[in-house]
Amino acid sequence: MKTKFSHINILISLILILSVQNRLFANDLEVQILKLSKEAIHTVLDESVFELYLEKKWFPSQLNNISSESIVSVNVIGNIKTYSNLSILFLDQNQTPIEKQIQVKITGRMRVYTAKKDLQRGTIIEAEHLNESWISLGSNFEKNWIQLNDLIGSETQNTIKAGRVIHLHNVKKPVLIKKGQPIELHKRSGNLELVIDCVTESDANKGETVLINCANLRKKYLGQIISDTKAVWRKSL
């Protein structure tokens, strides 16, 4: 009887040991996948700007039967957001390459810039206007991220109070020409080039075609902006 119970105890011990080993194996695999996922995400998001923490959201069951050494690569699919999709390429037991999709949850914090003082609408942002800060990643962090190089020289679209975080939707690229600004419209007719003094009907940047009002002729044209003082005729209206 003692022998029988001893065998049962040994069997239970072996089962427990295997169970623990399987959990450790699964944890090691998960850690490796999350590590590679984080590295893939940091090829898109600057590591000096984003401090990221990844959690498993969904992994396919096929990953339960592989080792971490079988993973070939992990790559980002689409846009990076709170719940991000990635592709994982691995070798199965027959060394056949298989690609599957995984999903991870991203938390952490990102570096942002706040207004050092009140910035009125239309202000061209300079470095002296900004303070650096860190905030937790929100649900739409990917839509609010803005790099310092893109922020410097941009124009505020609304008044930003001192201490407020400057988000992507708060700024825009400054326009080359503002609505109502005088401009010369160059219109070629045969060998002649006419130069007409007009004004723009909307904000515009170089290369854009906008409505131009030439009040002296009581006419309007479409003209392509080529500098801050000059446009080329494209169409008479």
Side-chain angles (χ1 to χ4, degrees):
M1 184 66 69
K2 285 185 178 181
T3 304
K4 182 177 181 180
F5 280 123
S6 298
H7 289 164
I8 292 174
N9 289 335
I10 292 172
L11 182 59
I12 292 173
S13 298
L14 288 173
I15 292 172
L16 290 174
I17 291 171
L18 289 173
S19 177
V20 170
Q21 287 179 337
N22 287 337
R23 285 199 300 272
L24 290 174
F25 176 80
N27 288 338
D28 288 344
L29 178 62
E30 183 176 317
V31 168
Q32 180 66 6
I33 292 174
L34 292 176
K35 176 178 178 291
L36 294 174
S37 297
K38 185 175 181 179
E39 291 175 358
I41 290 170
H42 273 314
T43 64
V44 181
L45 300 182
D46 190 340
E47 192 170 358
S48 67
V49 177
F50 290 88
E51 290 185 0
L52 303 180
Y53 303 94
L54 272 59
E55 301 174 43
K56 169 186 173 182
K57 178 61 178 176
W58 178 82
F59 289 179
S61 59
Q62 290 90 335
L63 295 180
N64 296 335
N65 301 317
I66 70 168
S67 65
S68 57
E69 290 78 13
S70 300
I71 301 173
V72 177
S73 64
V74 177
N75 295 290
V76 174
I77 299 175
N79 296 327
I80 297 173
K81 46 194 176 182
T82 302
Y83 294 98
S84 290
N85 297 320
L86 301 98
S87 66
I88 178 168
L89 181 66
F90 61 91
L91 303 177
D92 68 7
Q93 294 176 345
N94 298 319
Q95 297 300 297
T96 302
I98 297 177
E99 187 172 26
K100 292 291 181 180
Q101 184 171 309
I102 62 173
Q103 188 175 78
V104 298
K105 180 182 179 181
I106 301 176
T107 57
R109 65 177 191 161
M110 69 177 182
R111 187 176 63 199
V112 296
Y113 297 94
T114 60
K116 188 177 292 185
K117 61 180 181 179
D118 289 354
L119 300 177
Q120 301 302 317
R121 179 181 179 182
T123 299
I124 303 300
I125 295 179
E126 301 176 4
E128 64 188 29
H129 295 150
L130 307 172
N131 282 325
E132 185 179 302
S133 185
W134 290 84
I135 62 171
S136 297
L137 296 184
S139 57
N140 294 313
F141 74 88
E142 73 283 356
K143 297 180 181 178
N144 292 321
W145 171 44
I146 184 168
Q147 292 183 333
L148 180 61
N149 289 342
D150 294 330
L151 194 54
I152 300 297
S154 63
E155 180 181 348
T156 57
Q157 297 203 88
N158 52 280
T159 297
I160 303 174
K161 294 294 185 180
R164 297 294 297 272
V165 174
I166 303 175
H167 294 299
L168 189 59
H169 63 268
N170 296 136
V171 298
K172 63 180 181 179
K173 290 182 179 180
V175 294
L176 182 65
I177 292 179
K178 291 190 175 291
K179 179 180 179 180
Q181 182 174 324
I183 194 166
E184 293 181 348
L185 180 65
H186 292 244
K187 185 176 186 296
R188 182 167 292 279
S189 178
N191 293 326
L192 298 176
E193 184 178 57
L194 303 176
V195 179
I196 311 168
D197 292 328
C198 309
V199 295
T200 57
E201 289 282 285
S202 62
D203 294 347
N205 280 309
K206 185 176 181 180
E208 294 181 341
T209 299
V210 295
L211 183 64
I212 294 176
N213 184 12
C214 302
N216 292 338
L217 301 179
R218 297 182 179 180
K219 290 186 176 181
K220 292 185 177 182
Y221 304 94
L222 289 179
Q224 184 176 20
I225 305 300
I226 60 174
S227 75
D228 60 347
T229 59
K230 183 177 177 181
V232 176
W233 175 88
R234 287 293 178 252
K235 185 178 180 181
S236 299
L237 301 175

